[in-house]
Amino acid sequence: MVNLALFPTAIGDCCIAWRGDKVVAASLPEETPAATTARIVKRTGAERANPPPAIDRAIQSIAALFDGEKVDLSFVACDLGEVDAFTAKVYAITRAIPVGETLTYGDVALQLGNKLFAQRVGQVLGRNPIPIIVPCHRVVGANGKLTGFSAPGGVETKFKMLEIEGAQFGGAPTLFGDLPLAVKPQK
């Protein structure tokens, strides 16, 4: 059985679903809390429940991350279901990106052995069932360009999450120094 909980964060109500002590899905805020919950229910068939201690710790850590704390979520156990080896590697590389840092799709592809995998990396991250815990928002386009974010709110949500984390990207420092998030979302 899959269970879920809706919980408040600084960016709105998020939702998390679990089986046992492993997270199977998560959702960033939709327009309404009901829509956020519906996204997870549609994907997992989950029912509301009180989270066990391991999931409650994950919830508290996600909320702290959105409050601007440098929280490492690598402790959260996840069940990604049946994914191929390539997808599993993409998620593992993405989970290893520290808070406040980014990689490009090409960087992830190079870690997989071939820069030509960049588009495939983007496709895999577009299907990420556990955003935040598998921090796909930390993967950006070439030269720090904010592109392709399939979560609710799209690129604007990605920008907001990176801003909260204090990420800096977008190329070499300017005459005025390193300004956080020098690159604005692309429309």
Side-chain angles (χ1 to χ4, degrees), residues 9-12 14 28-29 61-71 98-102 132 137-138 146 156-169 180-181:
T9 73
I11 67 166
C14 292
L28 292 163
S61 297
I62 291 167
L65 181 70
F66 286 137
D67 281 339
E69 295 180 31
K70 299 283 187 193
V71 179
V99 176
E101 295 184 23
T102 60
I132 309 162
H137 64 282
R138 295 182 191 149
L146 294 182
E156 290 171 3
T157 298
K158 184 173 191 165
F159 178 78
K160 181 187 278 186
M161 292 169 68
L162 290 170
E163 185 176 45
I164 289 168
E165 293 182 3
Q168 295 187 2
F169 56 96
L181 296 169

Side-chain angles (χ1 to χ4, degrees), residues 5 8 14 17 34 36 45-46 53 55 67-68 71 80 86 102 104 127 163:
C14 292
T36 304
I55 302 304
D67 281 339
V71 179
L80 295 165
F86 182 86
T102 60
T104 66
R127 295 186 305 269
E163 185 176 45

Side-chain angles (χ1 to χ4, degrees), residues 40-131:
I40 295 289
V41 170
K42 181 179 179 185
R43 194 169 354 140
T44 66
E47 296 180 9
R48 284 185 185 256
N50 291 323
I55 302 304
D56 189 56
R57 181 175 175 220
I59 289 170
Q60 298 308 315
S61 297
I62 291 167
L65 181 70
F66 286 137
D67 281 339
E69 295 180 31
K70 299 283 187 193
V71 179
D72 178 2
L73 298 175
S74 64
F75 72 89
V76 179
C78 297
D79 178 354
L80 295 165
E82 298 293 321
V83 296
D84 60 58
F86 182 86
T87 298
K89 287 177 187 174
V90 169
Y91 291 154
I93 291 167
T94 304
R95 282 196 83 183
I97 303 170
V99 176
E101 295 184 23
T102 60
L103 290 178
T104 66
Y105 294 99
D107 293 334
V108 174
L110 281 175
Q111 288 189 40
L112 293 164
N114 189 334
K115 189 164 183 126
L116 296 177
F117 291 153
Q119 185 176 11
R120 221 170 128 197
V121 167
Q123 292 167 348
V124 166
L125 292 176
R127 295 186 305 269
N128 176 11
I130 310 176

Side-chain angles (χ1 to χ4, degrees), residues 1-4 17-19 24-26 37-47 129:
M1 167 167 243
V2 178
N3 294 301
L4 69 80
W18 68 91
R19 182 181 303 109
V24 298
T37 302
R39 178 183 275 254
I40 295 289
V41 170
K42 181 179 179 185
R43 194 169 354 140
T44 66
E47 296 180 9

